[in-house]
Amino acid sequence: MLDNGLKVYLLEGGNEEIVKIELVFFAGSFYQSAPLVAFSAANLLRTGTANRTSAEINNILDYYGTYFHADAQKDIASFSVFVLQKHLEPVLGLFQEIIREPVFNEDEMGVFLKNQKQQYLINNQRVQYIARTYFNELLFGQHHPYGYRVEADSFDAVSRTDLLQFHRDFYHPLNAFCIVSGKLPANIRDMLRISLGGDHWPAKEKNQPPSYLASSASEKKVMVQRPHVLQSAIRIGRRLFNRTHPDYHRLMITNSLLGGYFGSRLMQNIRQDKGYTYGIGSNLVSLLRDGYFFIGSEVGVDVCQKAIDEVYRELKKLRCIPATESELAAMKAYLSGDYLRSFDGPFAQSQRYKELLAFRLDVSHFEGFLKELKDISAHQIMQTAEKYLHEDSMIELVVGRK
Amino acid sequence: MVPFKKHILDNGLRLIIHRDETTPMSVLNLLYDVGARDEDPDRTGFAHLFEHLMFEGSVHVPDFDVHLQLAGGENNAFTSNDITNYYMTLPAVNLETALWLESDRMLGLAFSEEKLRIQKNVVTEEYRQSYLNQPYGDTMLLLRPLVYQVHPYQWATIGKNIEQIQTAGLEEVRSFFYRHYRPDNAILSISGPHNEDKVLEMAKKWFGDIPRGVGSLRLLPQEPLQTEQRRLVVERQVPASQIYVVFHTCGRNEQAFYTTDLLNDLLAHGESSRLKERLVKQKRLLSDVNAYLSGSIDTGMFVVTGKLHEETSPEEAEQAVWQELLELASHPVSDHELQKVKNKVEASHEFSESNLLARTMNLAYYELLGDADLLNRQTDAYFSVQGSDIRDMAESMFKKERSTVLYYLKEGSGSG
């Protein structure tokens, strides 16, 4: 921990002379008081500080061959920097400057928001984009930050004052954590102390999170017409819980059997047996204050209803008919291998660790999954499906035509 | 530096073994020297359709996936205009399972009418999802036949149209397999913690007895030098117009490729690149701009593309792009800028080397180009490019009569 309260985690490993720094703030869209503020703040940090213009910053980052990525999600905003070890020091110096003292130049804002608006208009033509965003609204309600959908006008209404305020409130060391991974130089601790430590970056009080009430749509089956498309996007799912819940591992394994990998029920039936789609899967999404389950796919419009019927058939089968021993064995073996893969190397490990830190879990979370995977029975999977994945409890959204 | 050992089995199979003791995983990558360019012009999309069929069962293994899953493995494949590449990653202790599965499907496929019918539908859905149901999805389907008048690169890997895929028959599938999917037409690359001798032994055990093919000569018509500009204007239901300016380049294996790649990077790689800084940030003509190379083995494509703001006309955008291209042709880049793009290449190379799968795939690919060790000489090849090389290349490439221009316009924007 640095003297200003910033928690830093070091993960040494790898053969190549590269370093990854990931700085994570609890500064996602959940915390904003106006649309697009969190997203804009995160993406505009690099467009200018008190001492440097956007062009100067871009030139320095590019000169050192740096990969810099800002990612603002619903709960967190994370900043990843990948750089060759030999260039780490100058890049760290610039990085802390970008994080601490962005100016949110009006001109830069204008260019950014205009370009984003155009990208939004393009995305809004894709059935899968509409399905993804509208489905979240159906799950959480249009006024809840997890369900709120941006509109074209939102891009014209972002104010610089809001961005500066948001930055002041949420971009400080007690509201963040940092993971540094790769082949670390001997003086990494000093480097981090100098760049991200207290002299430059004083601690502030921890923020009190706002609270919202989520409300799922009462309408269970929703259709958004798009008359000229060749494929419809389907989403079927419901609100559930996140990875801190005691039943999470069990549900995750149940989800895998249903649609978590190529050998799963949904893929084998709807793609490999029926040919209705190029891809279908089911997912559990963990948010900091909630969680949900969904099945998603794009299917030919001529087979849309048939595909949907098959999905419900699979959901019913999941809770009524136990998996065979061989099916269960294949899935467990696959998931074990997949788990191993997800920890291969320092950068993969840093991703896993980030998940723990965001949710305030510890490594026993991973051990818990492996134990559950080993012990879970076909009967327990059925029970889990019965309890949480009953087909009647789902909301269904189709964007396109049937 | 990626160390490796190379062998050639009696049946012609090229084998590359890379030992990495720091990982518990193994990767098996099998590259077949067949791609969309090898297709019959009336039977396009076939190499890709065939790739799908490789997962539908082989002579001794009716269900490919379940065995790999039991071994904790994951696999996938892709087809390009040049190659078809299959890869598996799994816990190193189970490497032999991967060898068994991969060798069995080289030995022979379990051809079936029913599986063919289903995968034709899956590929049709892929066609729709990626190319027809997306804004700008059909761009390559429009550009390729313009850029390539003679060479088979004129059709995309997915095929010229859905109908050709739908009419594929089982006999054609069979003869495609026995013509192209032979050990002497393949490169097997294996990585992981195992001792190299052990890996060689296992590879011989599983692949050694597969009979070699009769050998097929690849005689493709090469694309001639372009002497006249080609232009196309189309209108689509998209929210913003887009322009494309395309040039021919040398093939991947030529020395000039590295100069071409750096030229491409100078234009649009990174936020400080010329097109991004000048056309997006300063002049605000475009909301987004990109440049990339196809990197194909035969004559390649150098593509520059930009999305127009509402108030920008395609002519204005095109003019601005040409201005940047011609500046590179007339003024040599500064040492700082040249060093910048070289540093980026060095960094990308290191990142990609840190990934076991990428390393294994690249070894096979460079072996196809002639020598797997090319992987370890890439950074030097880029570093040896001079500023004058870039200026010379820009001057010879960026000529109107050597270009293909596509205006992909928002319906009703009334331009063209």
Side-chain angles (χ1 to χ4, degrees), chain B residues 19-203:
Chain B
R19 188 172 194 187
D20 178 355
E21 295 179 81
T22 66
T23 174
M25 308 297 295
S26 258
V27 173
L28 183 153
N29 187 90
L30 186 53
L31 187 159
Y32 286 99
D33 187 1
V34 60
R37 65 173 169 166
D38 298 306
E39 292 164 350
D40 187 317
D42 297 320
R43 203 28 109 225
T44 64
F46 208 83
H48 171 247
L49 171 62
F50 192 83
E51 178 225 299
H52 274 244
L53 294 172
M54 279 290 270
F55 294 86
E56 299 303 309
S58 53
V59 278
H60 302 105
V61 187
D63 185 346
F64 178 86
D65 292 303
V66 73
H67 299 287
L68 188 61
Q69 279 154 25
L70 279 165
E74 167 100 358
N75 75 336
N76 214 328
F78 63 84
T79 310
S80 76
N81 292 81
D82 293 325
I83 64 173
T84 314
N85 193 73
Y86 299 83
Y87 55 94
M88 295 184 193
T89 75
L90 76 179
V93 292
N94 295 334
L95 178 59
E96 193 153 12
T97 303
L99 285 160
W100 163 55
L101 289 171
E102 203 58 75
S103 63
D104 203 65
R105 60 181 184 174
M106 185 191 272
L107 184 62
L109 280 194
F111 302 104
S112 124
E113 288 285 2
E114 183 56 12
K115 298 262 168 83
L116 176 60
R117 187 190 67 80
I118 294 169
Q119 287 307 314
K120 283 202 261 190
N121 287 341
V122 172
V123 169
T124 301
E125 289 313 316
E126 188 180 348
Y127 206 116
R128 288 176 179 158
Q129 189 178 310
S130 306
Y131 297 86
L132 304 177
N133 217 41
Q134 303 288 347
Y136 316 105
D138 64 339
T139 303
M140 270 303 146
L141 302 179
L142 293 166
L143 264 179
R144 280 186 174 274
L146 265 186
V147 174
Y148 295 104
Q149 305 272 302
V150 166
H151 193 286
Y153 286 159
Q154 66 188 219
W155 57 83
T157 308
I158 197 75
K160 285 184 195 169
N161 54 58
I162 290 179
E163 289 68 41
Q164 286 194 354
I165 296 166
Q166 280 292 335
T167 52
L170 205 55
E171 264 321 298
E172 296 165 279
V173 169
R174 213 185 295 268
S175 66
F176 189 89
F177 178 79
Y178 286 108
R179 183 163 172 213
H180 297 289
Y181 277 68
R182 296 292 87 211
D184 48 313
N185 205 37
I187 297 166
L188 177 62
S189 159
I190 302 175
S191 63
H194 293 294
N195 168 280
E196 289 102 327
D197 294 330
K198 184 106 196 355
V199 176
L200 175 60
E201 198 187 304
M202 276 197 276

Side-chain angles (χ1 to χ4, degrees), chain A residues 92-386:
Chain A
L92 248 185
L94 180 61
F95 182 56
Q96 60 81 26
E97 190 182 318
I98 291 171
I99 298 289
R100 280 185 317 103
E101 32 178 59
V103 295
F104 301 118
N105 175 290
E106 296 267 15
D107 231 26
E108 295 286 347
M109 278 179 66
V111 171
F112 172 76
L113 288 165
K114 189 172 183 188
N115 295 346
Q116 289 299 320
K117 181 176 181 174
Q118 201 184 72
Q119 190 54 48
Y120 164 81
L121 290 171
I122 293 169
N123 286 340
N124 224 22
Q125 300 255 309
R126 299 190 167 106
V127 290
Q128 51 271 57
Y129 177 83
I130 299 167
R132 175 166 60 83
T133 51
Y134 189 34
F135 191 73
N136 287 352
E137 183 181 307
L138 291 173
L139 287 184
F140 296 100
Q142 58 175 235
H143 300 296
H144 191 286
Y146 288 159
Y148 175 77
R149 275 199 294 172
V150 147
E151 284 159 357
D153 293 344
S154 317
F155 292 90
D156 305 320
V158 180
S159 94
R160 181 173 179 261
T161 322
D162 280 350
L163 297 186
L164 286 165
Q165 188 63 51
F166 191 80
H167 181 264
R168 268 194 293 273
D169 292 340
F170 296 99
Y171 281 78
H172 61 91
L174 283 179
N175 199 37
F177 59 87
C178 181
I179 306 175
V180 183
S181 48
K183 217 165 186 198
L184 310 179
N187 61 341
I188 184 69
R189 282 177 164 78
D190 286 333
M191 261 198 231
L192 290 167
R193 217 166 275 135
I194 292 169
S195 54
L196 298 173
D199 283 355
H200 292 292
W201 205 21
K204 276 185 71 174
E205 242 173 55
K206 197 114 176 52
N207 301 85
Q208 281 297 76
S211 67
Y212 295 89
L213 201 60
S215 70
S216 287
S218 47
E219 195 61 54
K220 288 296 185 192
K221 294 198 198 295
V222 181
M223 175 94 199
V224 174
Q225 295 285 353
R226 285 285 182 274
H228 303 298
V229 296
L230 299 168
Q231 287 189 321
S232 298
I234 301 172
R235 287 227 164 183
I236 293 172
R238 57 168 296 185
R239 273 178 63 213
L240 278 172
F241 44 74
N242 68 21
R243 58 171 76 236
T244 60
H245 192 280
D247 282 343
Y248 180 80
H249 292 316
R250 227 166 246 210
L251 185 58
M252 182 48 105
I253 296 165
T254 306
N255 173 72
S256 293
L257 184 67
L258 175 66
Y261 67 113
F262 192 79
S264 65
R265 302 268 178 90
L266 289 174
M267 264 297 224
Q268 290 301 307
N269 177 357
I270 298 169
R271 173 180 145 149
Q272 292 297 91
D273 189 56
K274 308 283 189 308
Y276 293 159
T277 179
Y278 176 53
I280 181 165
S282 65
N283 301 272
L284 278 188
V285 177
S286 277
L287 300 166
L288 282 191
R289 291 164 188 79
D290 217 307
Y292 61 96
F293 161 86
F294 77 92
I295 295 166
S297 183
E298 285 83 57
V299 298
V301 295
D302 45 338
V303 292
C304 187
Q305 190 56 54
K306 286 193 199 159
I308 293 170
D309 293 341
E310 287 304 318
V311 168
Y312 287 119
R313 195 161 292 142
E314 289 299 342
L315 280 170
K316 183 167 183 178
K317 184 176 157 198
L318 192 68
R319 63 182 180 83
C320 296
I321 303 173
T324 61
E325 242 186 80
S326 60
E327 192 187 10
L328 203 55
M331 182 190 66
K332 286 189 183 194
Y334 172 78
L335 288 179
S336 308
D338 197 47
Y339 217 60
L340 187 63
R341 228 182 325 272
S342 72
F343 285 86
D344 191 23
F347 306 130
Q349 285 164 21
S350 99
Q351 284 302 101
R352 302 287 78 76
Y353 212 63
K354 176 182 165 185
E355 284 154 13
L356 287 187
L357 291 171
F359 287 88
R360 285 181 242 275
L361 296 166
D362 61 53
V363 292
S364 64
H365 181 68
F366 298 135
E367 290 154 8
F369 174 76
L370 289 171
K371 182 165 194 312
E372 190 65 66
L373 184 62
K374 183 158 157 285
D375 295 341
I376 199 168
S377 69
H379 188 67
Q380 284 167 333
I381 289 176
M382 278 201 313
Q383 282 180 319
T384 309
E386 175 73 45

